[in-house]
Amino acid sequence: MEQETRTKYLEEVRAQLLSAEYAAEFKDGRTLQIDLYGKPLCQVCDTGCLRYFEEDAAGKDAALERVRTIASTTREYMSLLDQAPPLSAEGLGEGYKLLAEFNGTVLAGHLTKYGAQFITWEWVHDRTSLWQGNYYGPGDGAKIYDAAKRDFTVRSRLLQKNALFEPGQLAEVYRSIHETLDSAYSLTDERRKLLEDVALQIEECGSFLDA
């Protein structure tokens, strides 16, 4: 990232953290200081990495992981927006970037003063115009970015909708797995390992956390 892009990255991270009820302020031009409940938690650098003291983060694994997820996801889409080509279409304003295109469907993004926004559209009129826009954001960047990618995947028919689980469905599967693991129900070692691996995969997906 160029320095200007890194600054925009930190500004976007700060906006997302504030919406997630963290305190986030610039420590200097290249670092954000993140506080939780009035106490220091960590710092986010303009490279996307986290720095923290063990005593500050002790017992705050979930809060720290949420900051890490926001910082990582924001870095991904800010880098893509910086590198993506402009998207041009009849009646479309400036500043839109083409992030992906497949089967007549586009995934676009642009930066607003309120944060990043993502949109899926379909080409019409010999690919001169876009229509039926599904808008995500601005605000809550990590969630809207994932939601827009999901919409693009289904809308472009890269995957059938039934091949993807909704966050609420994942949450229920996750709960059911742990109810089974924690019960007195007899499980073979192979089946227990399989259920534990599925639960871990859902945790790493992360989308069930806010369901």
Side-chain angles (χ1 to χ4, degrees):
M1 287 185 179
E2 298 294 334
Q3 185 54 49
E4 181 181 357
T5 303
R6 291 183 177 186
T7 300
K8 290 181 180 179
Y9 162 71
L10 286 181
E11 291 173 348
E12 181 74 8
V13 170
R14 180 177 180 272
Q16 305 313 324
L17 289 171
L18 290 176
S19 69
E21 300 184 350
Y22 291 87
E25 298 298 336
F26 279 91
K27 181 179 177 64
D28 54 46
R30 305 189 64 171
T31 310
L32 283 176
Q33 173 64 46
I34 315 303
D35 294 347
L36 183 64
Y37 306 129
K39 295 182 179 180
L41 176 65
C42 64
Q43 295 177 358
V44 177
C45 302
D46 62 0
T47 58
C49 68
L50 267 63
R51 299 188 304 207
Y52 56 89
F53 293 105
E54 292 294 340
E55 57 267 29
D56 291 338
K60 302 174 184 175
D61 291 350
L64 193 65
E65 184 59 31
R66 191 174 187 192
V67 173
R68 182 177 286 109
T69 298
I70 290 173
S72 175
T73 303
T74 304
R75 179 174 173 79
E76 177 180 319
Y77 70 68
M78 290 296 286
S79 295
L80 289 173
L81 286 170
D82 184 50
Q83 300 167 11
L87 176 63
S88 298
E90 184 178 339
L92 186 66
E94 296 182 354
Y96 289 86
K97 296 293 192 73
L98 177 61
L99 299 177
E101 180 177 2
F102 184 78
N103 202 22
T105 302
V106 301
L107 171 61
H110 75 127
L111 294 177
T112 76
K113 62 180 181 179
Y114 302 108
Q117 182 183 51
F118 303 96
I119 314 99
T120 64
W121 277 300
E122 293 181 14
W123 285 113
V124 292
H125 302 149
D126 294 326
R127 298 173 60 86
T128 60
S129 301
L130 297 163
W131 80 314
Q132 291 189 337
N134 293 338
Y135 293 80
Y136 298 87
D140 211 352
K143 287 184 182 179
I144 63 166
Y145 177 57
D146 287 341
K149 288 191 297 180
R150 180 188 182 90
D151 182 42
F152 173 76
T153 299
V154 173
R155 192 169 182 179
S156 66
R157 294 184 290 281
L158 277 167
L159 280 178
Q160 294 299 316
K161 184 176 182 179
N162 289 340
L164 299 174
F165 286 99
E166 297 292 336
Q169 293 174 315
L170 280 179
E172 187 57 41
V173 170
Y174 184 81
R175 283 191 289 266
S176 297
I177 288 173
H178 277 285
E179 287 175 0
T180 301
L181 291 173
D182 297 339
S183 71
Y185 187 75
S186 179
L187 295 171
T188 64
D189 290 343
E190 181 180 5
R191 189 177 180 194
R192 178 172 293 276
K193 178 64 165 57
L194 177 61
L195 290 174
E196 290 173 344
D197 288 346
V198 172
L200 179 60
Q201 184 175 342
I202 295 174
E203 287 178 11
E204 292 174 345
C205 171
S207 58
F208 82 102
L209 293 171
D210 300 308

